Amino acid sequence: MKAKQNYFKQKSLLVFSMCMCFLYFSMAHAQKKRPVKEAVPLDSIRLSDPAILADKKTNMYYMTGTGGLLWKSKDLKSWNGPYDVAQTNPNSWMGAKPMIWAAELHLYKNKYYYFATFTNQGKIIDTVAGIPIERRASHVLVSNNAQGPYVPMKDDIYLPANKPTLDGTFWVDKNGKPYMIYCYEWLQNGNGTMEKIELKPDLSGSIGEGKLLFKASDSPWSREKDTNGNDKPNKVTDGPYLFNTGSGRLGMIWTSWIYDVYTQGVAYSQSGTLDGPWIQEKDPITPPNFGHGMLFKTFEGKWLMSVHSHRKVGDKTVRIPKLFEVDLSGDKLVIVKPYLP
């Protein structure tokens, strides 16, 4: 009976979380109609999954994330925004007003690409344990300019329509081929996975099928309780981002949970390619309550990691961007200290 009660408690919490998520993104879309603000300090911006492109063409930093909006800055300290830069096709699977999560900007072959997760709440692709699974997928838009607008390319679908995928990021492997690395969501498979899929040379679509890199349960540091209250690895995979160390080692930062604490870990590829095998580090890479990280180099040549933290403000949870200085000169990624621009 206790196990059953715990199951329904977890299910209720998940439904509540999904409702809060809907509210959060509704508010994010409402922000698009607000006037552009100027000289906003980084710690005054409320943003999940912050990703920063240091664009040498314009000598400007562009920050994207969840909500489909963009901020820009010349010094990482004072930001102007938000700007609405993502233009989707209302006749596509995304629908008229998709939710946009975890957007990243990547410069590749003189074009700018917008990797993001799009969710159409009007389409249900599956029901698992009584919970409806919405149509959600990682996708790519393109622009000739860092500030956009970003528009769809030829292919409407990069990943299977019957699988919820999220947090797609970009990497060119040692074979010279471009790939999307993404999460196959735990809501459907019960044990989130990290996967790769090859992209067309112009990133306008995908080639072949996705391939497994590792599972959430491979993590030695993430934890949760099962329906009987027993300890087990957490089921969530979130926020992959790839990098090379100074020694040439291929690594991936990614995020899960230690019970109710958002936490980021790191894995390294034994082969130096996406095919791995991926060896998980024993301990998290960031302090507690920081996650969904990415890496970028400042115009002065310093490596930084952008992440977000959670904080309660009254009965709401806000997400705040944060920067850490990192050292990539050796064989491993090392976080040095918080970065204060």
Side-chain angles (χ1 to χ4, degrees), residues 54-88:
D55 182 48
K56 293 182 179 179
K57 289 186 178 181
T58 57
N59 199 36
M60 188 79 69
Y61 297 102
Y62 296 94
M63 180 169 65
T64 53
T66 285
L69 304 175
L70 177 142
W71 295 79
K72 63 181 183 179
S73 171
K74 286 189 174 295
D75 57 9
L76 296 173
K77 182 178 181 180
S78 180
W79 295 82
N80 294 349
Y83 302 93
D84 182 11
V85 297
Q87 296 181 3
T88 57

PDB file of all heavy atoms in Angstrom, residues 54-88:
ATOM      1  N   ALA A  54      29.799  33.764 -28.340  1.00  0.00           N
ATOM      2  CA  ALA A  54      30.714  34.896 -28.484  1.00  0.00           C
ATOM      3  C   ALA A  54      30.975  35.083 -29.970  1.00  0.00           C
ATOM      4  O   ALA A  54      31.733  34.326 -30.579  1.00  0.00           O
ATOM      5  CB  ALA A  54      32.007  34.625 -27.723  1.00  0.00           C
ATOM      6  N   ASP A  55      30.322  36.062 -30.572  1.00  0.00           N
ATOM      7  CA  ASP A  55      30.358  36.232 -32.017  1.00  0.00           C
ATOM      8  C   ASP A  55      31.418  37.259 -32.412  1.00  0.00           C
ATOM      9  O   ASP A  55      31.256  38.462 -32.186  1.00  0.00           O
ATOM     10  CB  ASP A  55      28.982  36.675 -32.521  1.00  0.00           C
ATOM     11  CG  ASP A  55      28.950  36.812 -34.032  1.00  0.00           C
ATOM     12  OD1 ASP A  55      29.411  35.876 -34.712  1.00  0.00           O
ATOM     13  OD2 ASP A  55      28.482  37.861 -34.524  1.00  0.00           O
ATOM     14  N   LYS A  56      32.503  36.785 -33.013  1.00  0.00           N
ATOM     15  CA  LYS A  56      33.608  37.670 -33.386  1.00  0.00           C
ATOM     16  C   LYS A  56      33.237  38.591 -34.546  1.00  0.00           C
ATOM     17  O   LYS A  56      33.834  39.664 -34.706  1.00  0.00           O
ATOM     18  CB  LYS A  56      34.828  36.833 -33.744  1.00  0.00           C
ATOM     19  CG  LYS A  56      35.425  36.092 -32.563  1.00  0.00           C
ATOM     20  CD  LYS A  56      36.665  35.303 -32.963  1.00  0.00           C
ATOM     21  CE  LYS A  56      37.257  34.576 -31.759  1.00  0.00           C
ATOM     22  NZ  LYS A  56      38.461  33.774 -32.121  1.00  0.00           N
ATOM     23  N   LYS A  57      32.266  38.202 -35.350  1.00  0.00           N
ATOM     24  CA  LYS A  57      31.861  39.047 -36.480  1.00  0.00           C
ATOM     25  C   LYS A  57      31.280  40.372 -36.015  1.00  0.00           C
ATOM     26  O   LYS A  57      31.486  41.409 -36.649  1.00  0.00           O
ATOM     27  CB  LYS A  57      30.842  38.310 -37.357  1.00  0.00           C
ATOM     28  CG  LYS A  57      31.424  37.153 -38.157  1.00  0.00           C
ATOM     29  CD  LYS A  57      30.363  36.593 -39.088  1.00  0.00           C
ATOM     30  CE  LYS A  57      30.925  35.463 -39.951  1.00  0.00           C
ATOM     31  NZ  LYS A  57      29.907  34.928 -40.892  1.00  0.00           N
ATOM     32  N   THR A  58      30.539  40.326 -34.915  1.00  0.00           N
ATOM     33  CA  THR A  58      29.892  41.537 -34.403  1.00  0.00           C
ATOM     34  C   THR A  58      30.500  42.019 -33.091  1.00  0.00           C
ATOM     35  O   THR A  58      30.073  43.043 -32.556  1.00  0.00           O
ATOM     36  CB  THR A  58      28.392  41.282 -34.189  1.00  0.00           C
ATOM     37  OG1 THR A  58      28.235  40.169 -33.283  1.00  0.00           O
ATOM     38  CG2 THR A  58      27.695  40.945 -35.497  1.00  0.00           C
ATOM     39  N   ASN A  59      31.487  41.258 -32.582  1.00  0.00           N
ATOM     40  CA  ASN A  59      32.097  41.562 -31.290  1.00  0.00           C
ATOM     41  C   ASN A  59      31.027  41.686 -30.201  1.00  0.00           C
ATOM     42  O   ASN A  59      31.058  42.589 -29.369  1.00  0.00           O
ATOM     43  CB  ASN A  59      32.929  42.842 -31.355  1.00  0.00           C
ATOM     44  CG  ASN A  59      33.925  42.935 -30.204  1.00  0.00           C
ATOM     45  OD1 ASN A  59      34.486  41.925 -29.772  1.00  0.00           O
ATOM     46  ND2 ASN A  59      34.125  44.138 -29.687  1.00  0.00           N
ATOM     47  N   MET A  60      30.088  40.747 -30.227  1.00  0.00           N
ATOM     48  CA  MET A  60      28.951  40.773 -29.316  1.00  0.00           C
ATOM     49  C   MET A  60      28.707  39.374 -28.756  1.00  0.00           C
ATOM     50  O   MET A  60      28.920  38.370 -29.430  1.00  0.00           O
ATOM     51  CB  MET A  60      27.702  41.250 -30.071  1.00  0.00           C
ATOM     52  CG  MET A  60      26.484  41.501 -29.206  1.00  0.00           C
ATOM     53  SD  MET A  60      26.556  43.077 -28.331  1.00  0.00           S
ATOM     54  CE  MET A  60      26.383  44.234 -29.692  1.00  0.00           C
ATOM     55  N   TYR A  61      28.252  39.334 -27.496  1.00  0.00           N
ATOM     56  CA  TYR A  61      27.805  38.086 -26.885  1.00  0.00           C
ATOM     57  C   TYR A  61      26.287  37.996 -27.040  1.00  0.00           C
ATOM     58  O   TYR A  61      25.562  38.957 -26.759  1.00  0.00           O
ATOM     59  CB  TYR A  61      28.155  38.042 -25.397  1.00  0.00           C
ATOM     60  CG  TYR A  61      29.638  38.062 -25.110  1.00  0.00           C
ATOM     61  CD1 TYR A  61      30.264  39.237 -24.698  1.00  0.00           C
ATOM     62  CD2 TYR A  61      30.416  36.910 -25.239  1.00  0.00           C
ATOM     63  CE1 TYR A  61      31.624  39.269 -24.418  1.00  0.00           C
ATOM     64  CE2 TYR A  61      31.778  36.927 -24.965  1.00  0.00           C
ATOM     65  CZ  TYR A  61      32.375  38.116 -24.557  1.00  0.00           C
ATOM     66  OH  TYR A  61      33.726  38.136 -24.295  1.00  0.00           O
ATOM     67  N   TYR A  62      25.812  36.820 -27.476  1.00  0.00           N
ATOM     68  CA  TYR A  62      24.376  36.593 -27.633  1.00  0.00           C
ATOM     69  C   TYR A  62      23.976  35.446 -26.712  1.00  0.00           C
ATOM     70  O   TYR A  62      24.546  34.354 -26.784  1.00  0.00           O
ATOM     71  CB  TYR A  62      24.043  36.239 -29.077  1.00  0.00           C
ATOM     72  CG  TYR A  62      24.334  37.365 -30.042  1.00  0.00           C
ATOM     73  CD1 TYR A  62      25.558  37.433 -30.704  1.00  0.00           C
ATOM     74  CD2 TYR A  62      23.400  38.360 -30.288  1.00  0.00           C
ATOM     75  CE1 TYR A  62      25.841  38.464 -31.597  1.00  0.00           C
ATOM     76  CE2 TYR A  62      23.661  39.401 -31.177  1.00  0.00           C
ATOM     77  CZ  TYR A  62      24.885  39.444 -31.815  1.00  0.00           C
ATOM     78  OH  TYR A  62      25.158  40.472 -32.689  1.00  0.00           O
ATOM     79  N   MET A  63      22.994  35.684 -25.862  1.00  0.00           N
ATOM     80  CA  MET A  63      22.548  34.670 -24.901  1.00  0.00           C
ATOM     81  C   MET A  63      21.123  34.229 -25.220  1.00  0.00           C
ATOM     82  O   MET A  63      20.210  35.049 -25.327  1.00  0.00           O
ATOM     83  CB  MET A  63      22.619  35.211 -23.470  1.00  0.00           C
ATOM     84  CG  MET A  63      22.170  34.192 -22.418  1.00  0.00           C
ATOM     85  SD  MET A  63      22.554  34.719 -20.716  1.00  0.00           S
ATOM     86  CE  MET A  63      21.497  36.183 -20.559  1.00  0.00           C
ATOM     87  N   THR A  64      20.969  32.925 -25.379  1.00  0.00           N
ATOM     88  CA  THR A  64      19.658  32.332 -25.594  1.00  0.00           C
ATOM     89  C   THR A  64      19.373  31.369 -24.442  1.00  0.00           C
ATOM     90  O   THR A  64      20.143  31.243 -23.511  1.00  0.00           O
ATOM     91  CB  THR A  64      19.611  31.585 -26.934  1.00  0.00           C
ATOM     92  OG1 THR A  64      20.711  30.667 -26.979  1.00  0.00           O
ATOM     93  CG2 THR A  64      19.701  32.541 -28.094  1.00  0.00           C
ATOM     94  N   GLY A  65      18.261  30.661 -24.541  1.00  0.00           N
ATOM     95  CA  GLY A  65      17.900  29.701 -23.498  1.00  0.00           C
ATOM     96  C   GLY A  65      16.458  29.283 -23.675  1.00  0.00           C
ATOM     97  O   GLY A  65      15.925  29.286 -24.785  1.00  0.00           O
ATOM     98  N   THR A  66      15.816  28.943 -22.585  1.00  0.00           N
ATOM     99  CA  THR A  66      14.417  28.532 -22.643  1.00  0.00           C
ATOM    100  C   THR A  66      13.514  29.760 -22.726  1.00  0.00           C
ATOM    101  O   THR A  66      13.750  30.769 -22.065  1.00  0.00           O
ATOM    102  CB  THR A  66      14.090  27.678 -21.416  1.00  0.00           C
ATOM    103  OG1 THR A  66      14.660  26.387 -21.608  1.00  0.00           O
ATOM    104  CG2 THR A  66      12.592  27.534 -21.216  1.00  0.00           C
ATOM    105  N   GLY A  67      12.465  29.664 -23.563  1.00  0.00           N
ATOM    106  CA  GLY A  67      11.541  30.765 -23.742  1.00  0.00           C
ATOM    107  C   GLY A  67      11.583  31.360 -25.135  1.00  0.00           C
ATOM    108  O   GLY A  67      10.715  32.143 -25.504  1.00  0.00           O
ATOM    109  N   GLY A  68      12.614  31.027 -25.919  1.00  0.00           N
ATOM    110  CA  GLY A  68      12.672  31.485 -27.300  1.00  0.00           C
ATOM    111  C   GLY A  68      13.113  32.917 -27.480  1.00  0.00           C
ATOM    112  O   GLY A  68      12.874  33.512 -28.532  1.00  0.00           O
ATOM    113  N   LEU A  69      13.774  33.500 -26.468  1.00  0.00           N
ATOM    114  CA  LEU A  69      14.193  34.894 -26.517  1.00  0.00           C
ATOM    115  C   LEU A  69      15.709  35.007 -26.543  1.00  0.00           C
ATOM    116  O   LEU A  69      16.423  34.048 -26.240  1.00  0.00           O
ATOM    117  CB  LEU A  69      13.630  35.653 -25.320  1.00  0.00           C
ATOM    118  CG  LEU A  69      12.105  35.584 -25.164  1.00  0.00           C
ATOM    119  CD1 LEU A  69      11.671  36.276 -23.880  1.00  0.00           C
ATOM    120  CD2 LEU A  69      11.405  36.214 -26.359  1.00  0.00           C
ATOM    121  N   LEU A  70      16.208  36.196 -26.903  1.00  0.00           N
ATOM    122  CA  LEU A  70      17.642  36.427 -27.017  1.00  0.00           C
ATOM    123  C   LEU A  70      18.024  37.729 -26.321  1.00  0.00           C
ATOM    124  O   LEU A  70      17.290  38.720 -26.368  1.00  0.00           O
ATOM    125  CB  LEU A  70      18.038  36.474 -28.500  1.00  0.00           C
ATOM    126  CG  LEU A  70      19.495  36.789 -28.835  1.00  0.00           C
ATOM    127  CD1 LEU A  70      19.950  35.949 -30.028  1.00  0.00           C
ATOM    128  CD2 LEU A  70      19.698  38.276 -29.143  1.00  0.00           C
ATOM    129  N   TRP A  71      19.206  37.697 -25.673  1.00  0.00           N
ATOM    130  CA  TRP A  71      19.805  38.884 -25.050  1.00  0.00           C
ATOM    131  C   TRP A  71      21.173  39.101 -25.688  1.00  0.00           C
ATOM    132  O   TRP A  71      21.804  38.138 -26.133  1.00  0.00           O
ATOM    133  CB  TRP A  71      19.972  38.684 -23.546  1.00  0.00           C
ATOM    134  CG  TRP A  71      18.688  38.552 -22.783  1.00  0.00           C
ATOM    135  CD1 TRP A  71      17.894  37.437 -22.690  1.00  0.00           C
ATOM    136  CD2 TRP A  71      18.049  39.564 -22.015  1.00  0.00           C
ATOM    137  NE1 TRP A  71      16.798  37.694 -21.904  1.00  0.00           N
ATOM    138  CE2 TRP A  71      16.858  38.991 -21.479  1.00  0.00           C
ATOM    139  CE3 TRP A  71      18.345  40.893 -21.720  1.00  0.00           C
ATOM    140  CZ2 TRP A  71      15.999  39.712 -20.654  1.00  0.00           C
ATOM    141  CZ3 TRP A  71      17.479  41.614 -20.905  1.00  0.00           C
ATOM    142  CH2 TRP A  71      16.312  41.017 -20.382  1.00  0.00           C
ATOM    143  N   LYS A  72      21.638  40.362 -25.703  1.00  0.00           N
ATOM    144  CA  LYS A  72      22.970  40.620 -26.251  1.00  0.00           C
ATOM    145  C   LYS A  72      23.746  41.582 -25.348  1.00  0.00           C
ATOM    146  O   LYS A  72      23.169  42.415 -24.647  1.00  0.00           O
ATOM    147  CB  LYS A  72      22.875  41.170 -27.672  1.00  0.00           C
ATOM    148  CG  LYS A  72      22.173  42.523 -27.810  1.00  0.00           C
ATOM    149  CD  LYS A  72      22.127  42.940 -29.276  1.00  0.00           C
ATOM    150  CE  LYS A  72      21.493  44.310 -29.452  1.00  0.00           C
ATOM    151  NZ  LYS A  72      21.478  44.730 -30.890  1.00  0.00           N
ATOM    152  N   SER A  73      25.074  41.431 -25.379  1.00  0.00           N
ATOM    153  CA  SER A  73      25.948  42.214 -24.502  1.00  0.00           C
ATOM    154  C   SER A  73      27.326  42.347 -25.136  1.00  0.00           C
ATOM    155  O   SER A  73      27.787  41.450 -25.853  1.00  0.00           O
ATOM    156  CB  SER A  73      26.070  41.513 -23.142  1.00  0.00           C
ATOM    157  OG  SER A  73      27.057  42.134 -22.339  1.00  0.00           O
ATOM    158  N   LYS A  74      28.013  43.435 -24.846  1.00  0.00           N
ATOM    159  CA  LYS A  74      29.389  43.611 -25.298  1.00  0.00           C
ATOM    160  C   LYS A  74      30.405  43.186 -24.248  1.00  0.00           C
ATOM    161  O   LYS A  74      31.576  43.011 -24.554  1.00  0.00           O
ATOM    162  CB  LYS A  74      29.630  45.070 -25.694  1.00  0.00           C
ATOM    163  CG  LYS A  74      28.996  45.467 -27.023  1.00  0.00           C
ATOM    164  CD  LYS A  74      29.450  46.833 -27.456  1.00  0.00           C
ATOM    165  CE  LYS A  74      28.945  47.173 -28.859  1.00  0.00           C
ATOM    166  NZ  LYS A  74      29.535  46.290 -29.891  1.00  0.00           N
ATOM    167  N   ASP A  75      29.948  43.016 -22.997  1.00  0.00           N
ATOM    168  CA  ASP A  75      30.904  42.772 -21.911  1.00  0.00           C
ATOM    169  C   ASP A  75      30.487  41.681 -20.923  1.00  0.00           C
ATOM    170  O   ASP A  75      31.153  41.483 -19.893  1.00  0.00           O
ATOM    171  CB  ASP A  75      31.150  44.070 -21.143  1.00  0.00           C
ATOM    172  CG  ASP A  75      29.874  44.681 -20.571  1.00  0.00           C
ATOM    173  OD1 ASP A  75      28.808  44.010 -20.623  1.00  0.00           O
ATOM    174  OD2 ASP A  75      29.923  45.824 -20.082  1.00  0.00           O
ATOM    175  N   LEU A  76      29.396  40.960 -21.182  1.00  0.00           N
ATOM    176  CA  LEU A  76      28.853  39.917 -20.305  1.00  0.00           C
ATOM    177  C   LEU A  76      28.274  40.472 -19.003  1.00  0.00           C
ATOM    178  O   LEU A  76      27.760  39.720 -18.187  1.00  0.00           O
ATOM    179  CB  LEU A  76      29.919  38.865 -19.954  1.00  0.00           C
ATOM    180  CG  LEU A  76      30.464  38.040 -21.107  1.00  0.00           C
ATOM    181  CD1 LEU A  76      31.620  37.160 -20.632  1.00  0.00           C
ATOM    182  CD2 LEU A  76      29.372  37.172 -21.722  1.00  0.00           C
ATOM    183  N   LYS A  77      28.335  41.756 -18.827  1.00  0.00           N
ATOM    184  CA  LYS A  77      27.863  42.377 -17.591  1.00  0.00           C
ATOM    185  C   LYS A  77      26.530  43.088 -17.782  1.00  0.00           C
ATOM    186  O   LYS A  77      25.617  42.947 -16.972  1.00  0.00           O
ATOM    187  CB  LYS A  77      28.911  43.367 -17.081  1.00  0.00           C
ATOM    188  CG  LYS A  77      28.553  44.047 -15.778  1.00  0.00           C
ATOM    189  CD  LYS A  77      29.675  44.964 -15.321  1.00  0.00           C
ATOM    190  CE  LYS A  77      29.339  45.628 -13.998  1.00  0.00           C
ATOM    191  NZ  LYS A  77      30.445  46.540 -13.545  1.00  0.00           N
ATOM    192  N   SER A  78      26.424  43.836 -18.858  1.00  0.00           N
ATOM    193  CA  SER A  78      25.246  44.645 -19.138  1.00  0.00           C
ATOM    194  C   SER A  78      24.567  44.116 -20.395  1.00  0.00           C
ATOM    195  O   SER A  78      25.186  44.050 -21.464  1.00  0.00           O
ATOM    196  CB  SER A  78      25.668  46.107 -19.326  1.00  0.00           C
ATOM    197  OG  SER A  78      24.549  46.921 -19.600  1.00  0.00           O
ATOM    198  N   TRP A  79      23.293  43.738 -20.277  1.00  0.00           N
ATOM    199  CA  TRP A  79      22.593  43.040 -21.354  1.00  0.00           C
ATOM    200  C   TRP A  79      21.389  43.837 -21.856  1.00  0.00           C
ATOM    201  O   TRP A  79      20.674  44.462 -21.064  1.00  0.00           O
ATOM    202  CB  TRP A  79      22.122  41.671 -20.882  1.00  0.00           C
ATOM    203  CG  TRP A  79      23.245  40.747 -20.555  1.00  0.00           C
ATOM    204  CD1 TRP A  79      23.954  40.692 -19.387  1.00  0.00           C
ATOM    205  CD2 TRP A  79      23.816  39.759 -21.418  1.00  0.00           C
ATOM    206  NE1 TRP A  79      24.931  39.727 -19.466  1.00  0.00           N
ATOM    207  CE2 TRP A  79      24.878  39.136 -20.706  1.00  0.00           C
ATOM    208  CE3 TRP A  79      23.544  39.328 -22.722  1.00  0.00           C
ATOM    209  CZ2 TRP A  79      25.650  38.111 -21.251  1.00  0.00           C
ATOM    210  CZ3 TRP A  79      24.307  38.316 -23.272  1.00  0.00           C
ATOM    211  CH2 TRP A  79      25.343  37.719 -22.538  1.00  0.00           C
ATOM    212  N   ASN A  80      21.153  43.776 -23.162  1.00  0.00           N
ATOM    213  CA  ASN A  80      19.961  44.351 -23.782  1.00  0.00           C
ATOM    214  C   ASN A  80      19.055  43.227 -24.278  1.00  0.00           C
ATOM    215  O   ASN A  80      19.531  42.234 -24.825  1.00  0.00           O
ATOM    216  CB  ASN A  80      20.330  45.243 -24.971  1.00  0.00           C
ATOM    217  CG  ASN A  80      21.102  46.476 -24.555  1.00  0.00           C
ATOM    218  OD1 ASN A  80      21.207  46.795 -23.376  1.00  0.00           O
ATOM    219  ND2 ASN A  80      21.659  47.178 -25.530  1.00  0.00           N
ATOM    220  N   GLY A  81      17.757  43.389 -24.084  1.00  0.00           N
ATOM    221  CA  GLY A  81      16.815  42.386 -24.548  1.00  0.00           C
ATOM    222  C   GLY A  81      15.526  42.432 -23.734  1.00  0.00           C
ATOM    223  O   GLY A  81      15.309  43.354 -22.947  1.00  0.00           O
ATOM    224  N   PRO A  82      14.666  41.446 -23.892  1.00  0.00           N
ATOM    225  CA  PRO A  82      14.816  40.288 -24.773  1.00  0.00           C
ATOM    226  C   PRO A  82      14.288  40.551 -26.180  1.00  0.00           C
ATOM    227  O   PRO A  82      13.389  41.360 -26.375  1.00  0.00           O
ATOM    228  CB  PRO A  82      13.979  39.224 -24.073  1.00  0.00           C
ATOM    229  CG  PRO A  82      12.885  40.011 -23.403  1.00  0.00           C
ATOM    230  CD  PRO A  82      13.496  41.327 -22.999  1.00  0.00           C
ATOM    231  N   TYR A  83      14.882  39.849 -27.150  1.00  0.00           N
ATOM    232  CA  TYR A  83      14.458  39.909 -28.542  1.00  0.00           C
ATOM    233  C   TYR A  83      13.828  38.572 -28.937  1.00  0.00           C
ATOM    234  O   TYR A  83      14.311  37.522 -28.555  1.00  0.00           O
ATOM    235  CB  TYR A  83      15.655  40.179 -29.461  1.00  0.00           C
ATOM    236  CG  TYR A  83      16.403  41.451 -29.148  1.00  0.00           C
ATOM    237  CD1 TYR A  83      17.502  41.426 -28.291  1.00  0.00           C
ATOM    238  CD2 TYR A  83      16.030  42.666 -29.721  1.00  0.00           C
ATOM    239  CE1 TYR A  83      18.203  42.593 -27.998  1.00  0.00           C
ATOM    240  CE2 TYR A  83      16.733  43.839 -29.433  1.00  0.00           C
ATOM    241  CZ  TYR A  83      17.817  43.795 -28.571  1.00  0.00           C
ATOM    242  OH  TYR A  83      18.505  44.949 -28.291  1.00  0.00           O
ATOM    243  N   ASP A  84      12.777  38.652 -29.735  1.00  0.00           N
ATOM    244  CA  ASP A  84      12.116  37.455 -30.258  1.00  0.00           C
ATOM    245  C   ASP A  84      12.773  37.112 -31.591  1.00  0.00           C
ATOM    246  O   ASP A  84      12.646  37.873 -32.561  1.00  0.00           O
ATOM    247  CB  ASP A  84      10.627  37.733 -30.446  1.00  0.00           C
ATOM    248  CG  ASP A  84       9.860  36.523 -30.935  1.00  0.00           C
ATOM    249  OD1 ASP A  84      10.436  35.425 -30.934  1.00  0.00           O
ATOM    250  OD2 ASP A  84       8.694  36.683 -31.327  1.00  0.00           O
ATOM    251  N   VAL A  85      13.502  35.994 -31.668  1.00  0.00           N
ATOM    252  CA  VAL A  85      14.315  35.719 -32.855  1.00  0.00           C
ATOM    253  C   VAL A  85      13.960  34.415 -33.570  1.00  0.00           C
ATOM    254  O   VAL A  85      14.457  34.165 -34.664  1.00  0.00           O
ATOM    255  CB  VAL A  85      15.818  35.689 -32.495  1.00  0.00           C
ATOM    256  CG1 VAL A  85      16.255  37.047 -31.978  1.00  0.00           C
ATOM    257  CG2 VAL A  85      16.132  34.587 -31.479  1.00  0.00           C
ATOM    258  N   ALA A  86      13.130  33.571 -32.979  1.00  0.00           N
ATOM    259  CA  ALA A  86      12.803  32.268 -33.573  1.00  0.00           C
ATOM    260  C   ALA A  86      11.476  32.341 -34.319  1.00  0.00           C
ATOM    261  O   ALA A  86      10.448  32.694 -33.744  1.00  0.00           O
ATOM    262  CB  ALA A  86      12.734  31.197 -32.491  1.00  0.00           C
ATOM    263  N   GLN A  87      11.502  32.009 -35.604  1.00  0.00           N
ATOM    264  CA  GLN A  87      10.298  31.996 -36.426  1.00  0.00           C
ATOM    265  C   GLN A  87      10.017  30.558 -36.869  1.00  0.00           C
ATOM    266  O   GLN A  87      10.821  29.968 -37.589  1.00  0.00           O
ATOM    267  CB  GLN A  87      10.472  32.900 -37.644  1.00  0.00           C
ATOM    268  CG  GLN A  87      10.652  34.362 -37.283  1.00  0.00           C
ATOM    269  CD  GLN A  87      10.795  35.255 -38.512  1.00  0.00           C
ATOM    270  OE1 GLN A  87      10.712  34.794 -39.652  1.00  0.00           O
ATOM    271  NE2 GLN A  87      11.007  36.536 -38.291  1.00  0.00           N
ATOM    272  N   THR A  88       8.905  30.011 -36.414  1.00  0.00           N
ATOM    273  CA  THR A  88       8.557  28.633 -36.754  1.00  0.00           C
ATOM    274  C   THR A  88       7.398  28.610 -37.745  1.00  0.00           C
ATOM    275  O   THR A  88       6.696  29.608 -37.929  1.00  0.00           O
ATOM    276  CB  THR A  88       8.193  27.836 -35.496  1.00  0.00           C
ATOM    277  OG1 THR A  88       7.115  28.500 -34.808  1.00  0.00           O
ATOM    278  CG2 THR A  88       9.395  27.735 -34.560  1.00  0.00           C
TER     279      THR A  88
END
